[in-house]
Every structure is written in structure tokens, then in C-alpha cells.
Amino acid sequence: MPDMTEDNGLNFFWGKARPVSVDFETDSSIHPLIAHMLDVAAVAILLPGSQRLGLDYRQLGMLVALHDIGKLTPAFQAKVPECWPEQAWGECPDEVVASRHDVDGLLLLDRVCREELAPLFGTASEGFDWSPIDKRRLWRAVAGHHGQPVSINDNQNREFDVKLSTPYAHKLVSLLFDLFRPPPIPPYHSLDHLLQLEWQLAGLTVQADWIGSRREWFPYVRPDDVADFAGYFWNKALHRAQGAIVQAGLAPVSISPFQGIAHLFPHIRTPSPVQALLDVTSLPAGPALVVIEDMTGSGKTEAALVAAHRLMASGRASGLFVALPTMATANAMFDRLAVAYRSLFQASSHPSLALAHGRALLDERFVSVLAPDDALDSAVLKKDREQAAEICCSAWLGSETRRALLAQVGVGTIDQALMAVLPVRFATVRQAGLAGKVLLVDECHAYDPYMQEEMVALLRFHAAMGGSAILLSATLTKAVRQKLMDAFREGLRQEESVSLSCMAYPLVTVVGAVGAEELPCAPRPGLERSITVRQVREEAAVMAEVSSAAAKGAAVAWVRNTVDDVIASAKALKEKGIETMVFHARFAMVDRLAIEREVLARFGKNGTTADRAAVLIASQVIEQSLDLDFDVLCTDLAPMDLIIQRAGRLRRHTRKQRVVDCDEICIFSPDPVADPDPKWISRVLPGTAAVYRDPALLWRTAKVLQLKGKIQSPDAIRELIEEAGNISDVPDGLMAASDEAEGKGRAARGEAMRNVLDYEAGYAPDSALWEREVRTSTRLEDRPYVTVRLGVMKEGQVWPWAALQEGALAASHERKRAWALSEVSVARHALASCPVADTQQEAVAAARAEWSRWERQAEDQFLLLLLEETEEGWRGFGRNEAAQDVGVCYDEKYGFQILKGTLT
């Protein structure tokens, strides 16, 4: 066996490998481990934001380089026997003890190389030094670079071929010390600062490893090329890292100086009161929380961007992430930000704007601005990409949701931000994406108890990491505002309680380490409204209202609380000769996106009188963040905040002429009698009772609206919200159901508190149950859902539904996108499996082979439903959770439906 201390033996350990079919004479089949470690260290040093860790670049380079030291083990090196380091260890054995290299890395760092690494840690002037526990925090951060923290079990303190690995581990540490020459890291006096470093280092290491592992940016080199480690690092690794960071879309950017709202939004000649307030009001030093409560149409988003730019220009943030409740609202916000985001940065900078949600790559606008990896590295882009250079996102950032959060400006669903505080793989990447940014959350009232507790954890975590946040809402209760403020101040380690008291509306609350300031704001001129509330007791009366308005050529909307009610009402109106548009969440994505575009075109700000003469029956998908404007609005009874949101879609814009000129909202609701019985809501609106589980909340909403007779904004908004939310007002007949709903809310909050990451515990495996993202959900579902992909047999093959709707999606390179556009989400109790005939199994298997590996493996979560065209439309068959056969129908107008009745 060769001498294990031979210097050049270390060069033959591989860190990355590819098949040996590559001609070794012209290209290397391995990338030496030391080269990969130095590549990743170079990326970490040069990444914008790395200075936030407070480490000298030599200390940071040394720490991050050690992330893959666990690959110096037989268990890892034997994964590719052809690349076994025979020059160091002789012939590859037939068997080795299996182990994970991240776990082995922690073992080498924390135990085997403890003495060799001791010079990296200094001693304070007071005489105290690093404890083994505190050192372990840093080793966990760099070793757990595969998405979750690792630990050393007692049975892993084995002789896992330590005799083979130890000399090379010691030699590697010695070489890294010679290369980086890091000054000793002083011990941390504050646990808060050490915790922040631990979490930040974990995120930065993964980010650097992802970039440093891309072969296109870091070509494989031969062992001889790293014989001079220092030469490789200074002459190759740093140069390649600089280019890779640019190509990844993460090049340094410069924030433009704040010059007032007119600089950001030249079209705003007269700022609204909330915009003017945030243009000049003082912001506290350090991380800040700004809560903006104002009416729909008041310009809250622009006001928030003004505040965000001020925080960025003052050096407290390097970018922005905007979180919204749904994919549809995120898509709409992406379009709005595409126009304005460049003004946040100097003209010479090229900041990335990314869309971050599970279906971002299905959005044509976003896909159109994705730049190829090599384009961002060019001095001049092709002429046909000049516009994309202004609104740009690298393919590396945009092609993966977790990476999209790393863009300088991101827009996505709130779920993407919440996963930063859940024990899911690569949560630290999301944390890195949010770190140093302003977190802007729109519609922050729209959360159930489970998500609200997650939001509390996110604010606490974000503040502890030094971030600022801006929250927007038209309807936020004082209690929720207090809870969100308390969480942010807890993250800032402020133990002194601060009570909020102002009940004005509109209102801006500014929170910092020193306290909170509540700033009443005038309403935007022209938004003061008095919308009459007319309650109707029977569905037929709503149908008559819709029919009458439709006959006059009005733009009419009826918001129903369940998809089944949406479809039933649309079909009932059709029988009366009234054609309707239908919009809900149970359409295949290709059809839903098309409907969304048509709805925005017809009923948006620029909709013409002729186009607007239509009836839309929709679910809750239209109640938030979509800029829609109707002449007549009907809605099922819902909690007060949602009624107010829906009312914001009535007569939203100024128009010269409306065929129905009346500020009135029609609410389908049972009479809020003084002594309602337990079936008060379910008797009239059974679907509503299933969606909104607290009948007392619905009863108080109906009672208050009946008493007031109108929605007076802004003067009475706060009063309406607080009175409807008064939990002490519960009639006897609804007490049992209300108590049950409250109990479920407490249970949901408890479950959320158990699920969220404990910042104080650090990046430790025993602090939470770490899972894949598909297993730890950001939303608590009473009924689990499955993803159903619609397919059609054509010419002996299974085609994605979307490929039949859009011919371009039939191309082989578009199949992955076509399948994603063919998805619809369905409750598992209604459809749990989709058996296929023996004659179709081969074709179905071939279709599923086009899916990703984890989608294929998750057969209980991703179903393939075959549709067949019949005289009645497209039909399919499956089984529900009770293993009963069920029939399915699907069409572009009504969406996905489970057929009623027993199948024969």
C-alpha cells in the first residue's frame, strides 16, 4: 500500500465524478476533492452578503472549504469504484462500511481533527475561549450542507476506516491553514450572535456548494492541476467563482439613493396619503417592522415599496421579497414589479427579478425573461434579449423555487417564505434568500390559526437574522397586529412589552428595537365609500339579482364559498339562458391560467364596456389582490374581513358610465336571528358551513352588517372588524360548534408551534423533525389533497391534457411543462387512486416516466387520470378513499367534477 502521508496522494481523492467513458487523456473523469472544496470556498468568499456573517474572508474560506471533508472516507470514495484513489489506498476493496459523508464530515471535524483545528478558534482578552459545544455549532453548519443538520451517534464513533482517513484529514486541514492563514475567530460573548452566525453559515455553505458544484462553471481538472493548492485557488477557483456568481444571477448590485416616490413611480403625480406618509416618516434604526392598514385601492403596494427602498438605501437591506397568498396574486404582483423594480437599483446594476412558487415556470411572462446562463456573462446581449436584460432572471435562479428566493428581488407565495422556518430540506437556503432583504407580506390577514402561527415564527426568525419586514392588510384586527409586532420585537431580543392602542383607520405602525409608533393616516381622496348591504335569504333571490343585472349588460360577479356551489350556480343560470364565466381552483392549470387572463382582461381596469357585459361565478380566488372591477357584486356570507375584501371588487375604478349605478352588495345569508339553532348556517349554506367552521363568526358578521346596513369605509372598517371578531358574543345555539372551532384553532396553533424551527436551538437535528418539503406543509388541511394529472390516449400514447389545448406543448422538450399544466388539485377522499386497464398500463408507465423521480415514486400524491371523449364530454374513472369506484368529468368551462351516484 502506498505511503499514506505522501503529499500527492491527497490529489487523487475525488469530490465530483462522471463516467469513465470520458477520455481521460483529453478530459478528467473526476474533479479532485481539494479542487471542489476550494471552488466552494471561493464562491462563499465572493458571494454578495457573505460579509453579514462578520467573519474575515480567510476564516470564512477555511470554514466553508471544510464542508466536504467527509468525502475523505472509503465509504464515499467507493461510490465510484473506477475513481477509487488507488494512489493513496491501493486497490478498492469489494465492500466498505456504508455511511453518509456529511455525517462522517461532522465526525472528522468535531472529533478526529479537533486538535488540528484548534488554532482556528481564539481566546478572548478576558481569558475565556470556545467551548466544544460552541465549536460544534459551526461544524454542524458546514457539515449539514445537504439540506438538513446531521449528528454523530455514539455507534458512529467507530473505526470507520479512521486509520485510512485520519492522515489525509490532518494533511488537508494543515494545507488549508497554510493556504488561508485565518486569524483565530474570537469567542462570541453573546449567544444571539453565535446563533445568527450558525444559521447564516449553514445557508451560505449550501448556496456556495450549489454554485461550486456546477460543472459548466467549474470544469473538472486533473489531480496534477491541484498539486499546487494555492496556485489553483488564487489563479483558477477565485476567477471561476467570480464568473459563476455573475452567471448565477447573483452579481453584486448597488442600491439607488432614495429620491422620493416620484423616482420610483414617475406616473404618480399626487401621492396618496399613505404613500406621502411613508415617503417622509422617520424609520427606526436597525431592523424595522412596518404595518400598513388601508383600503383596497389606496396605493399600499407603492407605499410599501417606498418604505422598502428607504430601508435598502440606508444600508439595512440588499433586496426585497414580496410574499402573497396565492399563485395567481403572485403572478399579478410579478407583472407590477417588472415595471418598477429596476428603480430600486443603480442603472449600472443588473438585479434579478424571480417568481417563486411551485408553478412559476408555467407563467409565460416569467419564462420570457429567463436569461441563459451564458447571457449574463456577456458584455452585450443579443438584440432580441435587450428587453429581457432590463427585466431579467438567470436560468439558474429561476429554474428552481428555493433558488428563486436568492434573487435580489423575488415575488412568490407566502408558502415559499414560511418554509424558511419549517424543518424541510434546504430551509437554510430560503433563510439565506430572505437574509438581508425586506420581507414584504401582502394580505397578511388572510391566514388561518396554523398559518398565523407560522407567520409569527417567520417574523421572529427574520428579525433575529437582522431583517426588516413590511406587512400590508385592508382588514387586520388589533389583536393580530399586536401579536405580529410582539413576534418581531422578540426576534430583536426586546423583552419589554409595548401595547398598541390606536384604533384609527387607515393606520401605519412602525416598530423597532426602541418601541412602536402608531401613525393615523387620512384616506385616499375618492375612496371614501358607503356600500349598502342587502341581505337575501334564498338562493333564488340571488339568481334573480344576477339575471336582472345581466339583462342590463352589467359586469356581474357572484362569489361562492365552494367550487361545487360555483359549478351548480353556473349550470342553473345556463338553464335560464344566461351564459357565465366560471373561475375556481379546480381547473387544470393550462385552463385556469387562460381563464385568469380572460377575467383580468374583461373585468380589470382597462376592460371595455362591451367586454365587461358578462357574468362571472367564482370562488374565493378573486377576493384578494386581483385588480377586478364589477358593477354588481353578490357574495355568499363569509367572515367580515373577507366580505370587506370582496366588496373592494365593486365599482373599484372610476368609469364614465355604468349600466347599473348603485353602491350595493348583495349577501346571501340566513337571517341573523337572536337565538339561532345549531343548523343556522348549514341549513341554508351547507358548503359555507364546511369551509368556515365557526358559525358564531358568520352569525356576528351577518348581525353587524344587518345592524349597520352598510360598509362605511374608511370610518367604520375597524369597528366592523372588531365587532365581528368579538369572541364573547356567541349565542347558545352556536356555542358547541363555536367551541369546537376554537378548539381546532388552538390545536392548529399548537401543531404549528411544534412544527416551526426553534431559532434558539440552532441548526441541530434534534430541534425538529426534518422532512422533505412534500411532507411538511405550510398549510394545515382538514382533508388532504392529491395532484391529479389529466391525460388523454392518442395514437397509442398518453398525452398531457395541456398538449391538446396548446399544440406547442406536444414537443418532447415541453413534456415536463405540459404535464405540470395538466394538473388539478383534488381532495383525496373524493379521488385517491386511478386504476387503468391492462391494455393501457404500458402507455401510462411510459407517460409517468416523463415525470421527475420523486413524482413517480409518490404514487399516492401524484395520480394520472386518463380521460376519454364521450358524447357527454370528457370522462374518466377512479376510486375514492373508501375504495369505491367514482366517475369523473372534465371540461374547460366548469372544470373538474366527481359525478354523483353509483357507477355501473
Side-chain angles (χ1 to χ4, degrees):
M1 180 177 291
D3 182 357
M4 288 187 294
T5 61
E6 186 180 347
D7 286 353
N8 68 356
L10 191 58
N11 304 359
F12 291 93
F13 288 86
W14 63 274
K16 299 289 177 182
R18 55 183 164 185
V20 181
S21 57
V22 177
D23 184 358
F24 194 82
E25 294 300 319
T26 60
D27 202 355
S28 179
S29 62
I30 70 163
H31 193 48
L33 175 59
I34 186 64
H36 171 66
M37 295 169 77
L38 294 179
D39 293 341
V40 175
V43 173
I45 290 171
L46 296 179
L47 269 174
S50 60
Q51 68 280 358
R52 285 195 300 269
L53 277 68
L55 296 172
D56 182 285
Y57 78 91
R58 295 165 292 180
Q59 297 165 342
L60 179 62
M62 177 83 180
L63 285 168
V64 175
L66 290 165
H67 78 287
D68 259 348
I69 194 172
K71 290 182 176 179
L72 280 175
T73 59
F76 180 82
Q77 293 297 314
K79 288 181 181 292
V80 184
E82 310 92 279
C83 299
W84 173 264
E86 188 173 334
Q87 297 85 344
W89 284 341
E91 291 185 6
C92 180
D94 293 334
E95 293 184 7
V96 296
V97 178
S99 62
R100 288 172 42 180
H101 77 268
D102 51 358
V103 176
D104 289 342
L106 181 57
L107 179 57
L108 287 170
L109 293 170
D110 193 45
R111 296 183 183 176
V112 175
C113 297
R114 182 179 300 171
E115 296 301 321
E116 286 71 21
L117 288 165
L120 185 59
F121 300 94
T123 301
S125 57
E126 297 88 342
F128 67 90
D129 54 15
W130 284 79
S131 70
I133 293 176
D134 287 348
K135 290 181 183 179
R136 191 173 300 128
R137 290 182 181 276
L138 302 192
W139 300 142
R140 283 195 311 235
V142 296
H145 61 280
H146 282 187
Q148 62 189 63
V150 295
S151 63
I152 308 168
N153 299 325
D154 290 338
N155 62 4
Q156 286 170 324
N157 190 13
R158 51 181 167 73
E159 295 185 11
F160 74 119
D161 298 318
V162 169
K163 291 180 180 178
L164 289 176
S165 301
T166 298
Y168 288 103
H170 290 172
K171 182 64 177 177
L172 177 60
V173 169
S174 175
L175 288 168
L176 291 176
F177 268 115
D178 289 343
L179 171 62
F180 289 107
R181 301 185 182 278
I185 305 172
Y188 281 69
H189 296 267
S190 165
L191 177 60
D192 293 342
H193 292 151
L194 184 57
L195 281 168
Q196 189 179 81
L197 173 61
E198 180 181 4
W199 286 108
Q200 289 179 337
L201 182 58
L204 182 75
T205 302
V206 177
Q207 188 179 351
D209 186 45
W210 281 2
I211 295 173
S213 295
R214 183 150 181 158
R215 196 168 65 213
E216 293 85 348
W217 299 338
F218 293 89
Y220 285 11
V221 298
R222 296 180 177 84
D224 289 347
D225 295 330
V226 286
D228 177 7
F229 294 163
Y232 176 83
F233 178 75
W234 295 110
N235 300 326
K236 291 186 178 179
L238 283 172
H239 174 73
R240 289 171 179 165
Q242 188 173 34
I245 289 170
V246 172
Q247 291 170 334
L250 298 175
V253 296
S254 299
I255 308 299
S256 64
F258 180 71
Q259 301 175 43
I261 190 171
H263 173 72
L264 283 180
F265 305 104
H267 66 281
I268 298 180
R269 297 184 179 180
T270 304
S272 71
V274 71
Q275 292 167 350
L277 175 64
L278 285 166
D279 204 32
V280 298
T281 194
S282 60
L283 297 175
L289 170 68
V290 180
V291 183
I292 304 173
E293 299 173 87
D294 205 345
M295 296 175 289
T296 298
S298 63
K300 293 192 296 293
T301 301
E302 290 79 6
L305 290 174
V306 166
H309 191 201
R310 292 181 60 192
L311 290 167
M312 292 165 63
S314 65
R316 282 178 278 177
S318 58
L320 174 71
F321 183 77
V322 185
L324 296 110
T326 65
M327 289 187 286
T329 55
N331 293 345
M333 182 62 72
F334 179 84
D335 287 344
R336 294 177 67 180
L337 270 182
V339 178
Y341 89 105
R342 287 303 308 272
S343 298
L344 300 169
F345 302 89
Q346 296 277 21
S348 58
S349 296
H350 294 284
S352 291
L353 171 64
L355 183 60
H357 60 67
R359 295 293 175 263
L361 293 177
L362 305 183
D363 186 274
E364 294 177 357
R365 174 68 180 272
F366 178 50
V367 172
S368 72
V369 302
L370 285 178
D373 292 331
D374 57 353
L376 293 176
D377 200 30
S378 303
V380 180
L381 295 174
K382 296 178 181 178
K383 287 190 175 182
D384 61 356
R385 291 209 51 82
E386 287 178 353
Q387 184 178 3
E390 292 301 307
I391 307 168
C392 194
C393 180
S394 76
W396 185 82
L397 279 177
S399 61
E400 213 275 345
T401 304
R402 292 172 297 215
R403 293 200 293 256
L405 270 71
L406 299 170
Q408 287 86 6
V409 178
V411 183
T413 56
I414 184 62
D415 309 77
Q416 301 303 322
L418 292 177
M419 276 192 277
V421 293
L422 290 177
V424 297
R425 288 193 69 198
F426 299 110
T428 55
V429 175
R430 298 177 190 278
Q431 294 163 14
L434 295 177
K437 289 195 178 78
V438 177
L439 172 63
L440 197 164
V441 182
D442 198 6
E443 311 288 2
C444 67
H445 61 276
Y447 304 141
D448 59 25
Y450 182 85
M451 291 186 69
Q452 192 180 102
E453 207 60 49
E454 290 177 310
M455 187 67 209
V456 164
L458 177 61
L459 286 176
R460 187 185 299 118
F461 207 112
H462 190 60
M465 296 281 274
S468 295
I470 302 173
L471 311 180
L472 307 183
S473 177
T475 51
L476 200 63
T477 65
K478 177 188 167 188
V480 171
R481 180 165 52 108
Q482 180 78 50
K483 188 172 185 178
L484 297 175
M485 181 201 71
D486 290 346
F488 191 82
R489 282 179 50 81
E490 286 169 13
L492 296 179
R493 297 299 191 269
Q494 300 302 312
E495 297 179 0
E496 180 184 355
S497 63
V498 174
S499 297
L500 300 177
S501 58
C502 186
M503 297 295 287
Y505 185 89
L507 180 68
V508 173
T509 307
V510 181
V511 181
V514 296
E517 185 178 10
E518 297 172 283
L519 305 170
C521 181
R524 185 172 197 162
L527 285 187
E528 300 95 332
R529 298 180 66 186
S530 179
I531 300 176
T532 301
V533 174
R534 180 159 55 89
Q535 294 178 332
V536 297
R537 315 288 184 248
E538 297 178 354
E539 187 171 359
V542 186
M543 302 277 285
E545 183 77 19
V546 171
S547 301
S548 174
K552 298 174 184 177
V556 187
W558 182 4
V559 184
R560 307 233 55 187
N561 292 330
T562 73
V563 173
D564 288 341
D565 285 341
V566 169
I567 296 172
S569 297
K571 289 184 174 181
L573 285 166
K574 181 177 177 62
E575 290 179 0
K576 294 178 177 292
I578 300 173
E579 287 295 332
T580 64
M581 293 180 63
V582 176
F583 189 23
H584 55 69
R586 213 191 293 161
F587 282 97
M589 190 59 66
V590 65
D591 297 324
R592 178 172 174 173
L593 291 173
I595 294 168
E596 181 181 313
R597 288 191 294 268
E598 185 178 0
V599 167
L600 286 168
R602 275 180 177 258
F603 305 112
K605 185 175 183 178
N606 299 319
T608 64
T609 302
D611 287 338
R612 284 167 44 78
V615 175
L616 175 67
I617 312 295
S619 66
Q620 296 92 330
V621 293
I622 70 166
E623 74 187 9
Q624 295 172 3
S625 297
L626 292 181
D627 187 4
L628 302 176
D629 173 22
F630 298 97
D631 303 321
V632 174
L633 184 69
C634 302
T635 175
D636 294 349
L637 178 64
M640 182 67 80
D641 59 333
L642 302 184
I643 292 291
I644 293 172
Q645 289 281 32
R646 295 174 188 184
R649 274 65 195 154
L650 176 69
R651 298 165 59 85
R652 184 181 177 96
H653 296 297
T654 300
R655 297 187 185 276
K656 293 182 179 179
Q657 185 178 4
R658 292 183 186 268
V659 294
V660 176
D661 192 14
C662 180
D663 261 346
E664 180 183 74
I665 182 172
C666 174
I667 299 180
F668 177 25
S669 164
D671 187 19
V673 295
D675 55 345
D677 64 74
K679 293 186 177 181
W680 172 77
I681 185 68
S682 61
R683 183 183 299 110
V684 179
L685 287 163
T688 296
V691 173
Y692 305 113
R693 297 300 182 86
D694 186 357
L697 174 60
L698 296 172
W699 175 81
R700 288 192 299 269
T701 298
K703 186 181 77 165
V704 171
L705 289 173
Q706 186 182 71
L707 178 65
K708 305 293 184 183
K710 58 186 177 181
I711 299 173
Q712 186 82 32
S713 61
D715 300 345
I717 294 296
R718 184 80 70 191
E719 182 182 0
L720 291 174
I721 292 292
E722 296 297 338
E723 287 190 23
N726 179 14
I727 59 176
S728 64
D729 185 9
V730 181
D732 292 341
L734 304 180
M735 184 68 74
S738 184
D739 286 347
E740 181 181 358
E742 175 59 26
K744 287 183 177 180
R746 285 194 298 270
R749 284 188 288 271
E751 184 168 350
M753 287 188 282
R754 289 189 297 273
N755 282 349
V756 296
L757 291 173
D758 182 359
Y759 180 83
E760 308 293 335
Y763 188 54
D766 54 359
S767 63
L769 182 62
W770 291 81
E771 297 277 6
R772 293 178 62 94
E773 292 175 12
V774 293
R775 294 177 183 169
T776 305
S777 176
T778 55
R779 309 194 184 210
L780 190 64
E781 299 173 336
D782 287 340
R783 293 176 171 175
Y785 279 72
V786 294
T787 297
V788 179
R789 287 179 165 170
L790 306 179
V792 177
M793 289 293 296
K794 181 179 178 182
E795 300 171 352
Q797 294 182 324
V798 179
W799 283 47
W801 170 265
L804 297 183
Q805 310 307 303
E806 298 181 12
L809 293 172
S812 58
H813 67 278
E814 288 280 15
R815 294 292 267 203
K816 184 176 180 180
R817 186 163 178 260
W819 279 117
L821 282 166
S822 303
E823 291 180 359
V824 59
S825 185
V826 180
R828 185 191 298 277
H829 78 273
L831 187 66
S833 64
C834 299
V836 296
D838 292 342
T839 55
Q840 298 172 325
Q841 287 187 0
E842 185 176 345
V844 167
R848 291 183 69 94
E850 298 173 341
W851 303 358
S852 69
R853 178 173 58 85
W854 71 271
E855 289 169 346
R856 295 194 304 271
Q857 293 175 346
E859 293 186 26
D860 60 334
Q861 297 181 52
F862 284 83
L863 310 182
L864 175 52
L865 175 67
L866 287 181
L867 296 175
E868 181 180 351
E869 192 169 19
T870 69
E871 292 182 359
E872 294 79 22
W874 291 95
R875 296 289 187 266
F877 299 93
R879 292 197 181 108
N880 60 23
E881 206 164 32
Q884 299 169 325
D885 289 342
V886 294
V888 174
C889 65
Y890 184 83
D891 60 53
E892 299 95 317
K893 179 173 179 60
Y894 297 111
F896 186 97
Q897 302 169 71
I898 299 291
L899 297 172
K900 304 297 182 183
T902 303
L903 294 178
T904 57

